[in-house]
Amino acid sequence: MKNSEQRSAEQAGRALLRRSLLDQKRRMALASALSTGHQAGEAAVPLLVGLIIDRAVTTGDTGRLVLWLAVLLATFATLSVCGRLGFQVGFGASVEAARSLRVDVARRTLDSRGSADSTMLPGATVNIATSDVRRTTAVHYQVTQGLAAAVGVVFASVVLLTVSLPLGALVMIGAPLLLLAVRAISSPLEQRSSVQQEQAARAAGVATDLVRGVRVIKGLRAERAGSERYRVTSRQALAASVHNARTEAGFKAAVIALNGGFLALVALVGGRLAADGSITVGQLVSAVGLAQFLLEPLSGFGGVIATVAAGRASAVRIAALLQAPPAVVGGELAPGPAGRIALTGVHGPGLAGVDLEIEPGRITGVLTTSPEAASSLRRYLGRELDPDQGEIALDGITLRDLDPERLRETVLVCPHEPDLFTGTLAANVLAGQPGAEAEAVKHALAAAGADQVAETLPGGLEAAVSERGRSLSGGQRQRVALARALLRDPGVLVLHDPTTAVDTVTESALAQGLREIRAGRTTVLITSSPALLAGADRVLMLHEGVIVADGPHADLMSGHPAYQEAVLA
């Protein structure tokens, strides 16, 4: 039996799919009407052929023959136009629904509050925004075709009733029973589709993580372990895909067998009636033609059900992403201009009740003996997460009461491994602020040493930067990211190990440039760099989650052995 979480997830998926369908109800209604015209025209063709045989061919009336042929030609023209327009409008509904869902996925992914679901890999998010959205919105087009097919079956059944009551009754009773049988055998397909999509998303997520960390993997000589991890995951995805394909193939084969058996029964009954003289030759031709026509809409029902099954499974995954709770709680207040930061009893990974106050307008260095503590501080100050216990306040207002988006306009956190983007060096520095003044750009480049990076590259600031900045060295990426942060000139700037990949001479120059350009602005340096700590107005040392030293770098180096050991390690 399904547990409550599974039922809740399925209900959320159905609600999302239902809402998406209702959003496109006008397009779908028009597409259904046009496709219904196409199906009705297709069903009318066998009837018209039978009438031509009975009323024109057998009587030898040429004028009547020409008239009925003109009616047949007009029917073909009408069903052709309706079919083409029905496809365009129905497919357009799917495309518009996909665009809307992708916007929702992108908006949720970029939500300033983040997501509490830390288990979802970036590749899985991409898979949801592409494959799952495509499967979900394919339902929109298939529903229009399914409705039109249902009307076509009803129309053909009514025509058959006029031709022969037994034939019409057979179709009217048999078609619903056939649909019930198809629905019963589609349940395993929906379950297999859900498993296959989950495994494919995980494989995509693992692949994305491995590609992003390829340099680290090579540096650690861990290529074999990384390859093995992806091989195991991809084999699981392959096994799920193969199993799903087998289930789908079996489903389609069963649908074809059921439809074939049903149509054979219709043809057999029609042949017996013609042999008994209960119907004319033209009526027999119409009955056989209608039986052949029924093959397409009845087979289409299987495709509709399979698409809906896959779409529902994907809708569950989309709904899970959209409804994931935020990582942090956001208020509505705006941060103040001073930049005074206070931590009170902050607990978290690597932190054991930290109490400290960072004075505004000064550079404060924070040395941690635990990488976990440094990461926690960075993430808490950037509102990626909230502390397990305790509070962090900016200018006397707790971060929980501030609007996260407006907070990040005041507090800018530059991580240890910054992201660069495909484009030019200048575009990466000017990201988000294309109207920056030339003098400000020049000062930011010089303070970060990024002007030297530009000088070494062909094209200077217009030099091309590859995806994630892989065309640059680690030190070059750090300097470009630092220039970008300095150009932004936030009220509070938090830098986490911004110079680990540069040489000591460059690091000393960056420390001096940072001190000059950030004069009078609050800056927090989470680092163990002697050069950066020497340029700070005040240094705090965190050991085993608590502050054990506080003062100028020079004083701590001469009077605190543990601090000296940590800096020189």
Side-chain angles (χ1 to χ4, degrees):
M1 294 180 65
K2 297 178 180 178
N3 58 39
S4 59
E5 290 185 1
Q6 287 178 313
R7 288 195 296 269
S8 177
E10 290 177 0
Q11 290 173 357
R14 285 194 293 269
L16 182 141
L17 181 57
R18 183 166 54 251
R19 183 173 65 254
S20 183
L21 290 170
L22 290 175
D23 287 343
Q24 299 298 319
K25 58 180 179 297
R26 292 185 178 179
R27 284 190 178 91
M28 293 178 62
L30 178 58
S32 298
L34 291 169
S35 298
T36 296
H38 172 76
Q39 289 286 344
E42 290 273 14
V45 169
L47 177 62
L48 290 174
V49 171
L51 290 174
I52 291 172
I53 292 174
D54 283 343
R55 300 187 182 183
V57 176
T58 56
T59 61
D61 189 334
T62 304
R64 182 172 291 183
L65 177 61
V66 171
L67 175 62
W68 281 107
L69 288 176
V71 172
L72 184 62
L73 180 61
T75 301
F76 271 115
T78 301
L79 69 89
S80 177
V81 171
C82 287
R84 180 183 303 176
L85 292 178
F87 171 79
Q88 291 178 351
V89 177
F91 190 73
S94 292
V95 170
E96 179 59 26
R99 184 201 65 81
S100 179
L101 277 180
R102 288 193 177 105
V103 168
D104 290 341
V105 170
R107 183 180 293 115
R108 181 64 189 89
T109 303
L110 298 174
D111 191 332
S112 60
R113 300 171 302 167
S115 174
D117 185 4
S118 60
T119 62
M120 184 170 292
L121 298 172
T125 304
V126 173
N127 188 269
I128 289 174
T130 53
S131 299
D132 284 315
V133 167
R134 184 176 63 250
R135 290 189 184 98
T136 300
T137 55
V139 174
H140 296 66
Y141 174 73
Q142 287 293 341
V143 165
T144 64
Q145 300 305 298
L147 292 174
V151 173
V153 170
V154 173
F155 182 82
S157 301
V158 172
V159 172
L160 280 172
L161 283 172
T162 62
V163 172
S164 171
L165 185 60
L167 280 178
L170 176 62
V171 174
M172 294 290 284
I173 295 172
L177 295 177
L178 185 65
L179 285 177
L180 290 175
V182 170
R183 181 67 187 90
I185 62 177
S186 71
S187 181
L189 177 63
E190 183 172 348
Q191 297 174 3
R192 295 300 176 192
S193 179
S194 178
V195 172
Q196 182 266 329
Q197 291 165 37
E198 186 69 35
Q199 294 287 359
R202 175 156 183 80
V206 170
T208 301
D209 272 9
L210 291 175
V211 170
R212 290 179 62 179
V214 65
R215 288 191 175 184
V216 176
I217 291 174
K218 287 188 174 182
L220 296 173
R221 304 290 185 185
E223 295 97 325
R224 181 173 296 178
S227 299
E228 183 61 27
R229 181 189 176 200
Y230 180 70
R231 187 179 296 111
V232 171
T233 306
S234 63
R235 283 176 177 173
Q236 292 174 345
L238 175 62
S241 297
V242 170
H243 202 160
N244 181 61
R246 288 174 177 170
T247 304
E248 187 171 354
F251 170 73
K252 290 182 177 179
V255 170
I256 292 173
L258 287 172
N259 288 337
F262 178 64
L263 294 176
L265 179 61
V266 172
L268 178 63
V269 173
R272 291 295 302 270
L273 292 173
D276 294 342
S278 301
I279 57 177
T280 65
V281 174
Q283 289 173 329
L284 175 60
V285 171
S286 295
V288 173
L290 286 168
Q292 291 178 333
F293 159 76
L294 285 172
L295 179 63
E296 179 181 353
L298 288 175
S299 299
F301 290 142
V304 172
I305 292 174
T307 300
V308 171
R312 287 176 59 184
S314 287
V316 170
R317 289 170 47 75
I318 297 172
L321 184 148
L322 296 179
Q323 295 181 1
V328 296
V329 178
E332 298 179 353
L333 299 179
R340 183 184 298 276
I341 300 174
L343 282 71
T344 305
V346 172
H347 288 259
L351 304 177
V354 174
D355 294 298
L356 68 87
E357 185 169 307
I358 296 174
E359 299 174 1
R362 303 181 69 187
I363 297 179
T364 302
V366 179
L367 170 65
T368 67
T369 57
S370 163
E372 195 174 39
S375 178
S376 294
L377 277 177
R378 174 184 63 79
R379 300 184 75 183
Y380 292 161
L381 293 174
R383 284 309 310 278
E384 293 181 32
L385 292 174
D386 284 326
D388 297 340
Q389 296 179 35
E391 291 291 346
I392 302 177
L394 177 63
D395 294 332
I397 305 174
T398 62
L399 300 191
R400 298 175 190 269
D401 294 331
L402 295 172
D403 182 333
E405 188 169 351
R406 298 172 73 178
L407 171 65
R408 294 191 183 106
E409 294 176 357
T410 299
V411 179
L412 176 61
V413 177
C414 190
H416 170 56
E417 295 182 356
D419 288 325
L420 298 186
F421 311 99
T422 303
T424 65
L425 197 65
N428 273 278
V429 173
L430 294 169
Q433 34 194 346
E437 297 180 358
E439 193 66 20
V441 175
K442 180 180 178 180
H443 287 163
L445 290 170
D451 54 350
Q452 299 174 8
V453 176
E455 291 172 0
T456 63
L457 298 176
L461 287 174
E462 296 305 315
V465 176
S466 65
E467 183 183 2
R468 301 186 65 80
R470 293 191 179 94
S471 58
L472 304 178
S473 68
Q476 289 174 329
R477 287 199 302 273
Q478 285 188 330
R479 282 180 278 176
V480 172
L482 180 57
R484 180 173 61 192
L486 295 177
L487 181 61
R488 178 73 176 273
D489 192 28
V492 177
L493 177 60
V494 180
L495 300 175
H496 181 200
D497 281 333
T499 59
T500 53
V502 302
D503 58 79
T504 54
V505 175
T506 303
E507 191 173 36
S508 296
L510 294 184
Q512 180 60 32
L514 183 64
R515 185 169 183 84
E516 292 175 358
I517 199 170
R518 290 296 296 174
R521 312 287 274 172
T522 304
T523 305
V524 180
L525 298 174
I526 305 174
T527 182
S528 60
S529 163
L532 293 180
L533 293 174
D537 298 304
R538 174 194 180 199
V539 178
L540 303 165
M541 179 180 176
L542 276 170
H543 179 63
E544 295 184 352
V546 295
I547 297 175
V548 296
D550 182 355
H553 171 73
D555 293 350
L556 294 179
M557 284 294 290
S558 60
H560 202 293
Y563 178 85
Q564 183 182 33
E565 181 182 355
V567 170
L568 299 179

